[in-house]
Amino acid sequence: MTTSSSPRIAVLYATAQGSTRDIAEFLCDNLVARGATAALHDIAHAPDLSTIDTVVIGSAIHDMDLLPEATAYLRHNLNTLAGKDVWLFSVGLGPALRGPLGRWAGRQVPRKIAAVLGMLHPHDYIPFAGRYEREGVSWRARTMYRMLGGARYGDLRDWQAVREWSTRIGDALALPHAPASVVQP
């Protein structure tokens, strides 16, 4: 008789204001609900990857780049990650932009992130929207946000898109489907 163990997954995140952590937590919970052995870690406290099969990594985007701790982790662990099934996501404003110019801008992968993707070759990369609060945002940044089709402030996360990506990961890992009501954002 053959026994198959559940995939061992590390879900790592680098966050600035919590949106990325929330998405990473949702992904981890969803994968556990589907039968994976998954653990959530701040990227600064990432586990030893020698016992990990799949790595899901998320980072907030600031100044059109992943957070410095995420970029440093990826560069430092590039050889180890090359032998793993890696999934990468980012959290920023791009997916929340509307209108022709905003949708175009939202589809662009920033040059620094494209360089990381070229080195890492993840199974998949997806950008998600996060939270964007008006407080502390300069007049110039608010104007640019509006010009690019930013319609509102607050929680801009699309939990259905996060759920669909989590389903793609689970399906790629051949995990059983969890009951629909198990994981809710």
Side-chain angles (χ1 to χ4, degrees):
M1 178 165 92
T2 306
T3 59
S4 74
S5 61
S6 66
R8 295 161 301 185
I9 304 170
V11 180
L12 312 177
Y13 66 89
T15 191
Q17 298 174 346
S19 290
T20 307
R21 180 194 59 241
D22 293 346
I23 291 171
E25 184 175 24
F26 176 85
L27 292 167
C28 187
D29 289 348
N30 203 351
L31 293 167
V32 167
R34 289 190 64 178
T37 302
L40 180 69
H41 301 275
D42 181 299
I43 207 157
H45 301 98
D48 173 19
L49 297 179
S50 64
T51 62
I52 303 297
D53 304 308
T54 299
V55 185
V56 179
I57 303 171
S59 175
I61 294 178
H62 284 198
D63 299 322
M64 299 184 71
D65 196 4
L66 302 175
L67 293 180
E69 58 266 36
T71 301
Y73 178 84
L74 292 170
R75 289 184 191 283
H76 180 55
N77 291 287
L78 192 58
N79 290 335
T80 303
L81 291 168
K84 306 290 179 191
D85 181 28
V86 178
W87 298 71
L88 185 65
F89 72 94
S90 62
V91 178
L93 285 178
L97 299 176
R98 301 291 176 250
L101 185 58
R103 283 192 300 274
W104 175 84
R107 286 190 304 270
Q108 305 309 304
V109 177
R111 186 178 14 226
K112 292 177 183 176
I113 295 173
V116 168
L117 295 174
M119 289 186 319
L120 189 60
H121 304 290
H123 189 105
D124 193 15
Y125 163 72
I126 189 168
F128 294 117
R131 287 190 305 255
Y132 188 54
E133 303 299 335
R134 186 181 169 114
E135 281 180 32
V137 176
S138 71
W139 175 85
R140 176 177 274 171
R142 285 195 315 268
T143 302
M144 182 63 75
Y145 177 61
R146 291 291 185 191
M147 288 175 52
L148 289 173
R152 62 183 178 88
Y153 294 91
D155 192 346
L156 306 174
R157 293 173 290 187
D158 180 350
W159 289 106
Q160 183 59 35
V162 176
R163 182 177 287 109
E164 289 169 4
W165 196 62
S166 178
T167 298
R168 268 201 323 259
I169 295 171
D171 290 350
L173 298 174
L175 295 172
H177 288 275
S181 63
V182 173
V183 179
Q184 299 295 324

